[in-house]
Amino acid sequence: MGTAQDKLVDGLYGLGWAGVKKLPEPAAVALGRRIADFAWKRRGKSVLRLESNLARVVPDAGPERLRELSKAGMRSYMRYWMESFRLPTMDPQRFGTDVEFKDEHLLREALASGRGVVVALPHLANWDLAGAWAIGHIGVPFTTVAERLKPETLYDRFVAYRESLGMEVLPHSGGAAFGTLARRLRSGGLVCLVADRDLSASGVEVDFFGATARMPAGPALLAQQTGAVLLPATLHYGDTPKMYGRIHPEVEVPKTGTRTEKTTAMTQAVADAFAWGIAEHPEDWHMLQRLWLEDLEDLGERTQ
C-alpha cells in the first residue's frame, strides 16, 4: 500500500489529467503560467537547481539574467505539463501544424531505409508532443522507455497516457527493455529515448558544457548491436501552440575502436547535439535535477 503522501501526489496528478484537459486552451495556458510564476517566486530547491544548471549553459549570465532564464524555464516546464494533460484530447491533425521539424527528411529517409531508427532527445520543450507528432504526422508508431515513478499508480497513469497516444512504453527497470527495443529496431521500427541524464554506473561520461556528466549508453549500444540509424533531435517552444524541432545528422558507428570506445564516441556526439539545442534555447531545458558529476552531493547519489 502507498503512503498518504503517495496517494496525495497521485490524486493531484489525477485532478490535473481530469481537469486541465477540459479547460479551453487559453485558460490552460494562463493557469500554467500562474502556477509557474508562483513556484518560481518561492525559490525552492528545483528552481535553484535549474538556475545552477543554466549557469553552466550560459556561463556569462549574471544573477539577473539567470533569474530571467529560470522564470522562463519554469513557464516552459509548466507549459509541458499543461500540454501533456491535454494531449490525449487534441485533434491529431494539429500535430502537423503545431509542430515543425527542421530536416524532417533525415528521419523519413532513415525510416525508409528499413534499418530501424533510434531518436535520442534531451529534456527540451515537450518530448511527448514530439512523439505524438511522429505518430500523427509521420504515421509511425514507436517504442520508448519510462522510469518507474512513485507511487506506482502515478507510473501507471503515465504509461496509460502515453499508450493512449499510440506509444509502446517499456519499464526502465528489470533489464528486459533493451532486448525488446533491439527487436523493434531489427524489424525496422522506431525507438525514441530521452537521453540527457543517467546517474547509473552504466552511464557514459561525456563533456557537457565544459564539465563531466553521465548520459545513457543505450542509444549508442542499440545502434551498434542492430545497425539502426541513431539520430539526435532537439526541441524548442515558439508562441503557443507552436513547437519546433531539429533532426540532427546521423551519429555513425566508428569504424575502429573497442565497443566501449565506440559507445563513448557516439554518446559524446549525441551530447554535442544536445548541447547545441540547449544553448540555442536554454529556457526550454527542463533539467531541475543535478546532472554534472561535481554537482552531486555524495557518491551514493552518483550511482542511484
Side-chain angles (χ1 to χ4, degrees), residues 145-258:
V145 173
E147 292 186 24
R148 285 198 173 276
L149 302 171
K150 293 183 179 180
E152 193 76 12
T153 50
L154 179 57
Y155 171 78
D156 292 339
R157 286 183 186 272
F158 270 95
V159 170
Y161 150 63
R162 290 188 168 116
E163 288 179 343
S164 75
L165 299 174
M167 308 177 191
E168 179 187 21
V169 183
L170 307 175
H172 185 271
S173 59
F178 189 91
T180 302
L181 295 173
R183 286 194 295 275
R184 300 293 182 269
L185 292 168
R186 289 193 181 100
S187 65
L190 174 63
V191 165
C192 298
L193 300 172
V194 179
D196 57 345
R197 184 175 187 263
D198 186 348
L199 303 184
S200 71
S202 62
V204 177
E205 293 191 0
V206 296
D207 179 83
F208 198 53
F209 292 101
T212 302
R214 281 201 189 109
M215 294 189 181
L221 289 173
L222 285 166
Q224 290 179 63
Q225 185 164 315
T226 69
V229 180
L230 173 55
L231 298 175
T234 53
L235 310 167
H236 69 91
Y237 278 133
D239 293 335
T240 306
K242 296 290 289 189
M243 186 179 77
Y244 300 91
R246 178 185 176 187
I247 304 295
H248 294 257
E250 177 184 358
V251 174
E252 297 184 351
V253 178
K255 291 182 171 55
T256 60
T258 64

Side-chain angles (χ1 to χ4, degrees), residues 38-80:
F38 175 78
W40 178 79
K41 287 177 182 177
R42 291 187 64 190
R43 308 289 294 162
K45 289 183 179 180
S46 294
V47 173
L48 296 178
R49 174 50 49 193
L50 177 62
E51 283 187 10
S52 177
N53 290 339
L54 289 171
R56 292 186 180 275
V57 174
V58 191
D60 58 345
E64 183 176 352
R65 174 60 177 153
L66 284 176
R67 284 174 66 89
E68 291 174 354
L69 279 173
S70 69
K71 185 175 185 178
M74 291 303 294
R75 287 182 171 185
S76 175
Y77 183 53
M78 286 311 303
R79 176 174 169 178
Y80 161 78

